[in-house]
Amino acid sequence: MAKWHGKACVEITDAKAEDVWPFLADFCSLNKWFPTLESCIRVEGVNGEPGCVRYCAGFKTHIEHADGNHFNWTKQKLLSIDPENMTFAYSIIDGNVGFNSYVSKVTVLPRADRCAIEWVYEVEPVEGWKLENLDQFISNGLNVMAKRMEEALKTGA
C-alpha cells in the first residue's frame, strides 16, 4: 500500500538548537508543547531511551465525532534518539485515530543565531482524512509547539 509522506518545518528565531533540544528529548513531555494534548505519560521503558512508550490523549483532529464522549489517544514508541544530531524517531503502535504504520522523525536544525524544528512523517492513508488534513494538523501543531518553547525559554519555565 502506498504511504503518505509529509514534512513540516518551523523556525524558532529566539533560541539556539541546544536550548530547544531538551524540550523534545524529554519524550514524555509532549503535552507541554502540542496543542490540545491533555496528557502524555510514560507507560513502558525509560523516558528518552529507545523502547520507551508514551500514551498521548485528548488531542483534537479535524474529524468531528457524533459521540461527544470520543477521546482521541495513541501509544507512541521511541525508536531511536541521537542527542548529538538532535534527532529522534518514533512510531504510533496503537490508538483510535486510524494512524497505521505511522513513523516520524523530528530534528532540531541549528542555524546561525536560531534554529528550526523539522517533523518528517510517513503513514498509510488515514480513513476520513486527506493528506492535506494531516499536513495541516502536524504543521499547526509544530507552530504552536515552537511558540510555547520560545515562551518557556523567555520565562525560564
Side-chain angles (χ1 to χ4, degrees), residues 14 87-88 103:
D14 293 332
T87 189
F88 69 90
V103 177

Side-chain angles (χ1 to χ4, degrees), residues 5-9 105 109 117-122 131 135 138-139 142:
H5 296 269
K7 177 170 81 170
C9 191
K105 182 178 178 184
L109 303 166
I117 303 172
E118 181 181 78
W119 186 335
V120 178
Y121 68 89
E122 70 175 37
L131 178 55
D135 283 341
I138 290 175
S139 183
L142 187 56

Side-chain angles (χ1 to χ4, degrees), residues 2-4 6-7 18 30 36 38 41 43 45 52 57 65 79-80 82 88 94 96 98 104 128 131 134 138 149 153:
K3 290 189 177 184
W4 289 347
K7 177 170 81 170
E18 57 270 14
L30 186 61
T36 75
E38 292 179 19
I41 56 172
V43 293
C52 178
H65 293 275
L79 301 174
S80 64
D82 181 350
F88 69 90
D94 198 6
N96 68 348
S104 221
L131 178 55
L134 188 52
I138 290 175
M149 290 175 184
L153 288 168

Side-chain angles (χ1 to χ4, degrees), residues 45-92:
V46 176
N47 187 21
E49 292 186 11
C52 178
V53 176
R54 65 186 178 192
Y55 170 83
C56 298
F59 54 92
K60 293 179 176 42
T61 70
H62 75 286
I63 297 176
E64 293 291 328
H65 293 275
D67 172 10
N69 295 322
H70 183 85
F71 195 71
N72 290 321
W73 65 274
T74 60
K75 281 187 180 177
Q76 304 173 0
K77 183 176 187 174
L78 184 61
L79 301 174
S80 64
I81 187 163
D82 181 350
E84 188 175 314
N85 292 305
M86 293 182 276
T87 189
F88 69 90
Y90 72 95
S91 65
I92 294 178

